[in-house]
Amino acid sequence: MFFKIIAKDEVPDLVRGIATEYEVIGPQAKGTAFVFAPLKDPADLRLDYDMTILPAKRYILPERETLMRFSVEDNEVVEAELDAPRRALFGLHPCDVNSLLLMDNVFLDGGDPDPYYKARRENTLIIGVSCMPAPTCFCDAWGTDETHRGFDIFLTDIGDSYYASISSVRGADLVDRFAKGRDITAEDTAAFQERSAAFKAAFEHEIDTSQLPVLLDAKYDSPIWQEFGEMCLACGACSTVCPTCYCFDVHDELDADQKHGERVRTWDSCQFKDFAGVAHGNFRDSRASRVRYRYYHKQWGYLSRYEKVLCVGCGRCTRACKADINPPRVVRALQTGVVDR
Amino acid sequence: MTASTLASPVQLNPYRPWPARITSIIDLTPQEKLFELRLIDDATRDAFDFEAGQFVELSLFGVGEAPISISSAPSKQGFIELCIRDSGDVTGAMHAKQCGDIVGLRGPFGRGFPFQEMKGHDVLLVAGGLGIAPLKSLINHIHDDRHEFGKVTILYGARTPSEILFRRQFEMWQHREDFDLMLTVDRPDETWEGEVGLVTKLFDKIDLDPDNTYGALCGPPVMYKYVIAEMRKKDLDVDKIYVSFERRMKCGIGKCGHCGVGHQYVCVDGPVFNYWEAMNLQEAI
């Protein structure tokens, strides 16, 4: 990794330069909220956003994608093509950069990498930006408030300019061509440290995340799950807005002629009733069992395989859940045995 | 926007099924048929190597995919057998297929029974209903390597005599000296002269050497607790009992999330679990 100072007024040129080679996706205002969307004008880029409604995962794992086209009669694949456009995700917070690293573990893992995910991931440029915690943020609880890999360029706000960490050849090349920039000084690094300290000090809540896998097993039959189950609307919003929820469904859609069709992958949620259904029944029929499974998988199932929890503390589910079920509250209930009101 | 075409060798895309031809269909019961399938591509067929207890995804374009355990033995090369109950969209569509039709296969997936580890020991195999499907692969594999095993005991329970799968073969095997096979039905008909009652009842009639016996079990979810209790009464070690689970394995490669059980995925960590692992796995039994 090496570093450059990029003045804030150089950013529009950098964006325009990158846009000549990539489709640039960035945070923009939409009503009173923020969304990631294709950037038409660099002036629309809001690097001061607090949080977007949806994460950027849809640009790597779309909510709907065709895996292959087929012919019914001879049960044959007629076409297996994938869209892997060159895209730049400009302005991901550390939580979102980390979320993609967690998804990589699943989709780029070992023997069976997912070719669709892999192609998109490789063609996607990641430019991160520093943030200040919103009231719903708890990335500090999981250590996902910092990121040291998983990006091409990371911009840390130090006043009139960004302290740019550059960690890839293509990132270095883009900065070189499209931003003037200058080399860092000891004062710049001091400003970077100051900014990082201010960020860490700004978190309002502390969450006791100690021993979660043990608690999830030891308190498996705790009444808190029944309580959360009664509150849960089973709408699946938590999974939809989650940057680390990767579960998907695959189904076939036929063309009007019934002779051809496509095999389609869509986002799915373990909160939906038939998620664990089989021919003779359903292994997670109750909402309580499904809410519990969501946390069980995130804080223990995924961890048992990859040594990390499957949550980056972005707080999107906290904002989205109409029943006020969210990780800080669930973790507190697990620790104390009581669901706070 | 650029689009890249997926490389053609299917193994680079784990979601792409291999075409296979149905080479035989046998009606086992009114609900179950046994399909023999041969992968069409020579190289793929030669490379298809599996363990008893593993499963494939049966892929019917236009309908979908379903996980099915392999019933034939790994020692039989060149084809696989799938015992399929007509119980859903994919299995229903499969039952409408004819000999010679082309279907899709992906796999094999998951962990099978520890065949090598079982060698040199006695084996107790317990099946309920359709649970015989994956165990049949193990039984046949043991049969083909019979001298490597000690005493082999098979307990198989079905609801009625007409629902006994592989009945002809098993009735023949009841007279063999190298397999101790017992069948039982919950509800006998007028032709039935054998045992009546749940498969657990047969435990009274068997004699085991607990220090030298591996147990394996597959059946409907409700059966596990009771059969394992019987195995434990016979002093079988918890880590010498193997169980096979049914869940909704959709992708087969640990990604789609549908077959999660406790903190594991049945498609990659199972479907065969050591009971020591399974008893510590939430939601499992």
Side-chain angles (χ1 to χ4, degrees):
Chain A
M1 200 140 47
F2 74 101
F3 310 96
K4 283 273 186 188
I5 299 301
I6 299 175
K8 283 188 174 170
D9 57 20
E10 287 179 78
V11 169
D13 278 344
L14 178 62
V15 172
R16 265 188 287 272
I18 293 173
T20 59
E21 292 164 23
Y22 295 84
E23 181 191 21
V24 180
I25 310 293
Q28 298 162 57
K30 185 175 183 183
T32 57
F34 293 98
V35 294
F36 286 118
L39 202 63
K40 295 197 179 70
D41 181 346
D44 295 336
L45 186 68
R46 289 287 300 274
L47 293 180
D48 62 337
Y49 76 107
D50 58 351
M51 186 50 63
T52 56
I53 300 170
L54 286 172
K57 75 174 170 186
R58 61 187 303 221
Y59 296 105
I60 314 282
L61 181 71
E63 57 272 33
R64 183 190 191 283
E65 73 176 303
T66 300
L67 295 179
M68 60 201 78
R69 284 196 53 77
F70 57 76
S71 137
V72 176
E73 200 185 342
D74 16 274
N75 204 69
E76 241 178 23
V77 175
V78 291
E79 197 184 323
E81 207 171 66
L82 66 87
D83 257 350
R86 279 160 63 96
R87 277 203 190 104
L89 302 181
F90 200 118
L92 298 193
H93 287 166
C95 57
D96 282 347
V97 174
N98 277 309
S99 74
L100 292 176
L101 293 174
L102 295 177
M103 295 250 271
D104 287 352
N105 286 332
V106 176
F107 288 99
L108 305 180
D109 181 33
D112 295 296
D114 184 297
Y116 306 87
Y117 180 98
K118 186 165 183 273
R120 273 191 219 100
R121 187 76 163 105
E122 283 168 357
N123 282 354
T124 304
L125 189 77
I126 306 288
I127 297 140
V129 67
S130 64
C131 49
M132 287 303 270
T136 46
C137 291
F138 56 97
C139 52
D140 58 328
W142 309 127
T144 45
D145 52 339
E146 286 187 17
T147 180
H148 306 288
R149 58 189 192 92
F151 55 81
D152 296 281
I153 305 167
F154 193 92
L155 304 170
T156 302
D157 189 335
I158 53 166
D160 293 333
S161 45
Y162 289 108
Y163 191 93
S165 310
I166 297 155
S167 73
S168 73
V169 173
R170 62 184 180 178
D173 176 56
L174 291 166
V175 169
D176 196 38
R177 286 155 60 207
F178 301 120
K180 258 197 341 247
R182 62 168 175 80
D183 292 339
I184 53 167
T185 65
E187 288 76 32
D188 296 323
T189 300
F192 171 85
Q193 285 178 282
E194 215 172 285
R195 157 72 198 208
S196 299
F199 167 68
K200 301 230 179 213
F203 285 91
E204 290 171 19
H205 322 283
E206 247 183 64
I207 304 175
D208 178 7
T209 59
S210 49
Q211 300 290 1
L212 287 182
V214 171
L215 298 184
L216 282 160
D217 268 334
K219 301 189 182 184
Y220 190 76
D221 296 317
S222 165
I224 64 165
W225 298 119
Q226 202 53 44
E227 263 192 77
F228 282 125
E230 277 161 27
M231 294 154 65
C232 176
L233 305 169
C235 67
C238 49
S239 317
T240 304
V241 303
C242 179
T244 66
C245 269
Y246 55 78
C247 288
F248 59 81
D249 190 32
V250 176
H251 66 274
D252 290 357
E253 291 179 3
L254 286 170
D255 296 347
D257 66 6
Q258 305 281 301
K259 289 180 179 150
H260 293 87
E262 49 191 46
R263 185 153 285 176
V264 175
R265 159 156 79 184
T266 54
W267 289 353
D268 203 347
S269 170
C270 58
Q271 301 308 290
F272 293 153
K273 185 163 175 134
D274 65 353
F275 185 81
V278 294
H280 62 76
N282 190 339
F283 287 99
R284 252 173 256 120
D285 203 29
S286 72
R287 280 174 298 164
S289 67
R290 296 197 294 273
V291 174
R292 179 175 59 193
Y293 181 73
R294 178 176 163 78
Y295 283 92
Y296 198 90
H297 178 240
K298 283 187 171 287
Q299 329 295 356
W300 180 204
Y302 182 92
L303 183 140
S304 74
R305 201 173 296 263
Y306 303 115
E307 305 276 322
K308 283 181 173 161
V309 298
L310 188 66
C311 173
V312 292
C314 70
R316 286 187 179 95
C317 58
T318 307
R319 293 166 182 233
C321 182
K322 298 296 176 203
D324 281 333
I325 302 172
N326 53 65
R329 193 177 182 196
V330 171
V331 169
R332 266 197 308 279
L334 257 178
Q335 298 285 0
T336 63
V338 180
V339 177
D340 56 27
R341 293 285 162 189
Chain B
M1 301 270 281
T2 57
S4 39
T5 303
L6 283 169
S8 54
V10 285
Q11 52 269 36
L12 294 182
N13 186 349
Y15 302 108
R16 185 173 171 151
W18 294 312
R21 188 182 303 282
I22 301 175
T23 45
S24 147
I25 304 175
I26 299 171
D27 289 332
L28 293 177
T29 75
Q31 299 87 37
E32 281 103 0
K33 291 183 182 183
L34 185 69
F35 295 87
E36 183 189 85
L37 300 169
R38 288 176 193 271
L39 289 160
I40 287 173
D41 180 65
D42 292 336
T44 311
R45 192 174 59 240
D46 291 345
F48 192 93
D49 203 7
F50 66 96
E51 298 167 6
Q54 284 191 299
F55 69 96
V56 292
E57 290 286 342
L58 172 66
S59 191
L60 301 183
F61 279 124
V63 189
E65 295 191 318
I68 311 282
S69 52
I70 303 171
S71 285
S72 51
S75 38
K76 296 281 183 289
Q77 298 288 316
F79 68 93
I80 61 167
E81 287 175 352
L82 304 180
C83 172
I84 300 177
R85 174 179 291 171
D86 177 1
S87 61
D89 294 341
V90 175
T91 53
M94 189 64 180
H95 269 240
K97 294 280 179 197
Q98 309 290 320
C99 225
D101 284 354
I102 307 288
V103 300
L105 288 180
R106 296 192 296 118
F109 296 122
R111 278 194 312 179
F113 292 102
F115 187 75
Q116 295 302 330
E117 194 187 316
M118 287 174 162
K119 278 186 180 172
H121 298 85
D122 295 350
V123 182
L124 167 66
L125 308 170
V126 183
L130 191 51
I132 193 68
L135 283 180
K136 179 72 167 33
S137 174
L138 182 59
I139 293 168
N140 285 7
H141 202 186
I142 290 171
H143 172 264
D144 292 349
D145 231 346
R146 185 64 189 86
H147 64 284
E148 298 270 13
F149 292 84
K151 196 162 82 168
V152 179
T153 308
I154 303 165
L155 310 181
Y156 174 28
R159 270 185 302 195
T160 64
S162 65
E163 287 171 83
I164 296 175
L165 294 159
F166 310 106
R167 186 173 178 177
R168 193 167 305 170
Q169 180 185 338
F170 285 144
E171 283 181 344
M172 271 163 34
W173 280 27
Q174 279 184 311
H175 307 293
R176 288 178 69 129
E177 280 177 12
D178 56 350
F179 283 87
D180 206 352
L181 173 77
M182 278 185 254
L183 302 175
T184 180
V185 298
D186 299 354
R187 295 197 301 270
D189 57 19
E190 59 282 3
T191 65
W192 184 251
E193 291 171 357
E195 299 286 340
V196 175
L198 298 174
V199 74
T200 43
K201 227 186 92 181
L202 300 175
F203 277 81
D204 295 341
K205 303 180 188 301
I206 60 169
D207 205 21
L208 294 181
D209 172 7
D211 297 330
N212 188 38
T213 303
Y214 275 87
L217 135 79
C218 188
V222 62
M223 189 182 109
Y224 288 72
K225 205 164 55 177
Y226 300 103
V227 171
I228 287 163
E230 295 294 336
M231 288 179 165
R232 297 288 293 134
K233 262 194 253 170
K234 297 271 180 196
D235 288 327
L236 244 64
D237 290 342
V238 284
D239 62 352
K240 280 193 187 151
I241 299 172
Y242 285 83
V243 291
S244 175
F245 290 135
E246 175 196 15
R247 286 296 185 280
R248 191 176 181 182
M249 294 85 94
K250 283 205 97 145
C251 72
I253 50 176
K255 298 185 181 9
C256 80
H258 281 267
C259 67
V261 47
H263 63 273
Q264 305 221 293
Y265 284 146
V266 172
C267 72
V268 287
D269 302 309
V272 175
F273 289 89
N274 183 280
Y275 179 58
W276 167 249
E277 303 165 318
M279 66 193 278
N280 294 305
L281 208 54
Q282 305 288 2
E283 305 182 310
I285 293 173

